[in-house]
Amino acid sequence: MKKITVLPTWCFRDEAGNPLDVQLLRLLGAVHRRGKLTQAAEDVGISYRHAWNVLRQGNAFFGVALVELKRGRGAQLTPLGDKLLWAEQRAVARLGPQLESLGSELNLAIAREQQGAVSVLRLHASHGFAVELLPRHLTALPLDLQYCSPHESLAALDRGSCDVAGFHLPRGAVGERIRASYHERLNPREHRVIGFITRTQGLMVAPNNPLGIEGVASLALEGVRFVNRQASSGTRSLLDGLLSEAGVASTAIRGFEVE
């Protein structure tokens, strides 16, 4: 059965309504990966000449160059080109889970129209790489996958809105405290907890760890800047628990409020 995939797409227009070639961002991404315009054009599936035209149009549209070409040194993005690519990556990261959920709903509606009543596994879970791969491997029955926070997933299970709820459970004392917050949503007579995936989490730092960050306590050191996960995520619950164990106040961490 054919399936719908929903992807975000940029649309640039000037004051007169003139559009910019939609291939520009794909070309910028390929330039960033390959470092050569010839190879970038090949990745995008366009000719070298057309790639030049796309770049010229983009340069004229924004009034500054988006790619810097140097003889013998290949191609690299200018600051604005890099910022445009960053904006696209950020949009995809933020919208991706919601669009996947929308695609799941549309595919389910189509399947019901084509096949009538069909058995469906309704899964509500926090977005993750393993969960994202499930639709590709689950072929026995259609999967209605909706992305939401762990607490929202368990609330949906509690009211019968889904069949399976995905949630995170750290090991150790932090996990026991988080388990207690899930307790009111889990009924031993009706629910069974099944381990699905185990992952190791940590702090992502600059190459060679120049600030010497050794753990969550290091986040409060002078000169350290931090970017957080959203408050509803399982990773955030884990971090909050680890900070409490370490006796580190979130107000002491520069950038804690930045998600």
Side-chain angles (χ1 to χ4, degrees), residues 108-235:
L108 179 58
I110 293 172
R112 283 173 172 163
E113 287 296 322
Q114 292 176 332
Q115 306 171 22
V118 294
S119 298
V120 176
L121 179 65
R122 301 171 300 168
L123 169 62
H124 288 203
S126 178
H127 184 267
F129 294 123
V131 175
E132 184 180 326
L133 290 172
L134 271 178
R136 304 183 196 177
H137 299 282
L138 186 64
T139 58
L141 73 169
L143 178 66
D144 181 13
L145 174 58
Q146 301 295 318
Y147 288 118
C148 49
S149 72
H151 282 281
E152 290 171 339
S153 299
L154 288 171
L157 181 68
D158 189 43
R159 62 175 181 266
S161 298
C162 67
D163 306 304
V164 181
F167 58 95
H168 309 104
L169 190 60
R171 293 177 176 174
V174 174
E176 290 303 316
R177 287 194 293 271
I178 293 179
R179 183 196 296 270
S181 70
Y182 295 151
H183 183 71
E184 64 181 22
R185 298 291 188 185
L186 293 172
N187 185 339
R189 295 182 178 180
E190 298 181 5
H191 304 137
R192 173 168 295 183
V193 178
I194 302 173
F196 170 59
I197 191 77
T198 300
R199 64 183 183 185
T200 301
Q201 294 186 262
L203 299 170
M204 294 187 290
V205 300
N208 301 318
N209 195 12
L211 298 180
I213 294 174
E214 298 180 350
V216 294
S218 300
L219 299 180
L221 296 177
E222 185 176 356
V224 174
R225 296 173 297 164
F226 181 66
V227 177
N228 215 338
R229 287 297 309 278
Q230 71 270 27
S232 62
S233 69
T235 299

Side-chain angles (χ1 to χ4, degrees), residues 5 7-8 13 16 37 82 87 96 105 107 128 143 210 220 223 227 231 236 255-256:
T5 300
L7 301 174
R13 296 183 184 276
L37 186 58
D82 191 61
E105 290 184 42
N107 287 318
L143 178 66
V227 177
R236 178 67 170 270
F256 189 85

Side-chain angles (χ1 to χ4, degrees), residues 35-143:
K36 289 183 179 296
L37 186 58
T38 51
Q39 295 177 358
E42 183 179 341
D43 278 6
V44 177
I46 59 178
S47 67
Y48 180 75
R49 180 178 180 181
H50 184 49
W52 258 111
N53 290 333
V54 171
L55 285 183
R56 289 195 186 99
Q57 184 189 16
N59 295 344
F61 186 91
F62 290 103
V64 295
L66 302 176
V67 173
E68 185 178 10
L69 300 171
K70 292 186 178 181
R71 186 181 300 275
R73 296 179 57 186
Q76 64 181 33
L77 301 183
T78 64
L80 179 58
D82 191 61
K83 182 62 72 173
L84 288 174
L85 182 60
W86 168 85
E88 183 200 28
Q89 293 170 337
R90 185 168 185 176
V92 170
R94 288 196 171 189
L95 297 176
Q98 287 77 16
L99 294 180
E100 285 186 36
S101 294
L102 176 59
S104 177
E105 290 184 42
L106 293 174
N107 287 318
L108 179 58
I110 293 172
R112 283 173 172 163
E113 287 296 322
Q114 292 176 332
Q115 306 171 22
V118 294
S119 298
V120 176
L121 179 65
R122 301 171 300 168
L123 169 62
H124 288 203
S126 178
H127 184 267
F129 294 123
V131 175
E132 184 180 326
L133 290 172
L134 271 178
R136 304 183 196 177
H137 299 282
L138 186 64
T139 58
L141 73 169
L143 178 66

